Every structure is written in structure tokens, then in C-alpha cells.
Amino acid sequence: MYYWRDLDSVPAEFGPSVLTLGNFDGVHRGHQRVLQQVVEAARQRSAAAVVVSFDPHPAQVHRPESAPELIMGLEDRVATLAETGIDALLMMHYTLDLAADSPEEFVERVFVRALKAKAVVIGHDVRFGRGNSGDLDTMRALGRTLGFEVITIDDFGASFPVDATDADGDRRCSSTWVREALEAGDVGTAARVLGRYHRMRGDVVHGAARGRELGYPTANLAASSQGFIPADGIYAGWLVDQAGTRWPAAISVGSNPTFDGVDRQVEAHVINRPPERVQDFDLYGQAVVVEFVERLRGQVAYRGPEALIEQMKLDVDQARGLLSTEQQPRR
């Protein structure tokens, strides 16, 4: 996949293309359906399949005090978009200057002159250009004027029940839904909307070493780690180390209320460490990925280390049993 961070990086000879526009935070199943149609339409027209996206998220520029927490960091977003089969990604640096472009200026400069669009694939609720003044009708009018086809797609609903209050057992797949699920600790629903387990990515740093003292050493993610932090609690999941090895893990999110003065953190205890390395299994300094499979329980304050150790053993046993039979969510 070609990856460009500005228009000047797009080769002058690039094109023609079939493209789509969006933030694609989470690259959930609804996004995947859009991208699949972009790829199919591009192949039918002997064109390149292109995504135009933004970094930072526009909401972080226009209303930073109320912008939503992002589901995934930029590195994961780029890697996940590449997995969809698109040929090129233009990740435009979002600024107030860019936001000041009229719909006509933006489309002509980016879609037509730089990417030579044959077709644009968008949803019915598309908004673009200064003050979000451009909509589907605007895009269709620009397509007629500038010579590209506009392909509209419907929202993608989940193929599983949402809750008892939903008459049709369906809901539009969205980044908002994923965030709501993660805020509630419902990583199972988040995984079904995403089509894969929710993950965080970051460096392993030194913590208080309290887990090691209790017999359950953990890999502590740096505060700068990327990815939405789910609700406090204990989770079964996976830790993928820098070499790409995937280890089963019991993951703790929170401040560990049994002990005072502990900041909120994400830490993962690797289950079934190699016997020959059980004492020196060292992940410090590695860039790792933590995947959340299922929430086992919420955070609880225990009366001293002994009760906590007993519960940690139960957590690890439960996580081990669950992960031994786990299946990756289907896209």
C-alpha cells in the first residue's frame, strides 16, 4: 500500500482512482464494508483503490475539549487499513487552513487534480468542506461537473442482537458504538462490531513491581500507549510481543484499589510462560500489543495481599480456560 502524508507526496502520474473519504477510527465492520466496495469498484474500473483520511481527527482540532477518545492510534489505523486491500492511503494533516477549503476547492484539489478520481464511494450522511457544508447532493453535483461517478452505500448493520429494546435486533455499526461498549467494559460487543479484538499498543515500562512480589509479574503499558482504555476491571486477552509471539494473558485495567497511591494503568500477566524462563521473562522496553477478549470482573479492594493473591489465581485460571477455546471474531 502506498502511504502519503501530504498532497505533494502523491506522484504526478498517479491515477486513475476510486476513492473514499473518512476518519475510519477503529476500522470497524461498517468501515470494512465501505472499503470492500471501494476495492471492488476500483478493480472493475482498472483503477487504484484509495482512502483519504485525516490526522489528527477533525474533532481534536475544532473542539479539543469534547473530542472523543480515539479507538486506535495512527499506527494501528494505517496497518488495519492496509489489511483491507486498498492500494493507497492519503493521510492529510488536518488543520484549520484545510478546514477552510470550500467543498468545491477540496474535491477539485484532492480528488480530481491529485488522485484523478474516476469514482467516489460515500455514505448518505457524508459531510465535507468548510463548515461541513458539502453533502451528498454537493458531491453528486461536483461529480457531474468534474467528471467522476458517485457511488452511494447504505449503513452496515450488525448481524447479531444488540439488546432487548431493539425491535429488529440490529444497530448501525459505528465508532460511537465501539466506544460505548469499551466504556462499559463490554469488549465482547466491541470485538463483534470491530470484527477483531480491541487492542492497545505501547511500550512496556517498569512499574511498582508489586505483581512480581505477589507471584504474578505483569507487563505495564506506558501512559503514552495508543488505543482506547476499556473500563476498569480484569480481562482475559492476549499479549503480542515485539517478535510477534502471541501469549495468553490476564489483563488488569485500573488503579488497583487494594493498594493506595497507584495511578490508573494497563498491565498484563502472561500465562504459561516458558518454564525455562519463568523467572526472567523480560518484556521491558518492548513495543507490545494487548488484545482484550472478555471481561472477567470489575476492580475490587481486597483486605490485604493474601486475599488478592487468592483472587489473582482464580482470575488466571479463568482466563486460561477461556483462552484455550477462544475464537477470533469474524469480519
Side-chain angles (χ1 to χ4, degrees):
M1 181 187 77
Y2 294 108
Y3 179 36
W4 306 306
R5 294 304 306 267
D6 54 64
L7 281 180
D8 291 339
S9 299
V10 181
E13 68 276 10
F14 181 80
S17 71
V18 172
L19 61 84
T20 191
L21 173 73
N23 294 305
F24 297 100
D25 184 28
V27 196
H28 54 65
R29 291 168 66 195
H31 293 147
Q32 293 163 30
R33 181 170 181 265
V34 173
L35 298 171
Q36 180 183 14
Q37 293 202 22
V38 171
V39 172
E40 290 175 354
R43 301 296 177 261
Q44 292 167 1
R45 292 161 177 78
S46 300
V50 180
V51 167
V52 178
S53 193
F54 305 104
D55 178 60
H57 192 290
Q60 294 175 323
V61 174
H62 291 290
R63 51 180 195 282
E65 71 289 345
S66 61
E69 183 179 352
L70 296 182
I71 297 166
M72 56 172 37
L74 179 61
E75 182 179 352
D76 270 335
R77 183 155 52 118
V78 171
T80 307
L81 285 169
E83 293 171 358
T84 65
I86 63 171
D87 300 305
L89 169 62
L90 173 59
M91 186 67 69
M92 302 189 71
H93 181 56
Y94 194 85
T95 64
L96 292 177
D97 285 342
L98 178 62
D101 279 355
S102 70
E104 295 77 13
E105 290 169 335
F106 178 80
V107 168
E108 183 172 7
R109 182 166 62 95
V110 178
F111 290 9
V112 179
R113 292 207 304 263
L115 299 173
K116 302 176 184 65
K118 270 191 174 182
V120 175
V121 180
I122 53 174
H124 292 273
D125 60 351
V126 65
R127 308 294 297 192
F128 62 100
R130 185 187 306 130
N132 275 338
S133 56
D135 58 13
L136 178 57
D137 289 337
T138 309
M139 190 69 79
R140 284 173 170 161
L142 289 171
R144 289 190 295 269
T145 301
L146 299 174
F148 59 82
E149 180 184 0
V150 175
I151 303 170
T152 57
I153 57 172
D154 295 323
D155 291 334
F156 180 71
S159 58
F160 53 88
V162 178
D163 57 48
T165 64
D166 262 349
D168 58 0
D170 198 16
R171 177 179 175 180
R172 174 181 180 267
C173 284
S174 67
S175 300
T176 297
W177 189 5
V178 175
R179 293 188 193 100
E180 289 175 358
L182 294 175
E183 286 174 351
D186 187 0
V187 294
T189 291
R192 287 183 287 178
V193 179
L194 289 167
R196 63 185 179 281
Y197 297 129
H198 173 62
R199 57 183 177 238
M200 294 185 63
R201 181 185 300 272
D203 294 333
V204 176
V205 298
H206 289 275
R210 191 167 281 119
R212 185 175 296 276
E213 294 171 2
L214 298 175
Y216 293 92
T218 59
N220 298 269
L221 293 190
S224 59
S225 297
Q226 297 185 340
F228 194 109
I229 303 175
D232 289 1
I234 307 300
Y235 297 82
W238 298 91
L239 183 146
V240 184
D241 65 22
Q242 202 160 273
T245 306
R246 201 161 173 257
W247 302 94
I251 306 162
S252 173
V253 177
S255 58
N256 198 336
T258 302
F259 302 96
D260 294 329
V262 179
D263 294 330
R264 191 166 188 255
Q265 59 190 18
V266 178
E267 50 187 325
H269 169 71
V270 171
I271 300 170
N272 300 335
R273 290 172 295 156
E276 69 277 8
R277 295 183 58 198
V278 70
Q279 295 300 323
D280 67 341
F281 189 72
D282 188 1
L283 296 171
Y284 289 123
Q286 288 196 30
V288 303
V289 171
V290 172
E291 299 178 339
F292 296 85
V293 175
E294 185 172 312
R295 190 175 192 231
L296 304 180
R297 62 176 177 87
Q299 286 278 11
V300 178
Y302 292 92
R303 295 182 177 178
E306 293 78 11
L308 178 59
I309 291 171
E310 183 178 348
Q311 182 60 57
M312 290 169 74
K313 181 182 185 304
L314 295 174
D315 294 337
V316 168
D317 288 344
Q318 186 178 358
R320 179 185 292 112
L322 188 149
L323 295 170
S324 66
T325 59
E326 65 93 23
Q327 293 183 344
Q328 188 77 356
R330 296 181 179 178
R331 292 185 184 272

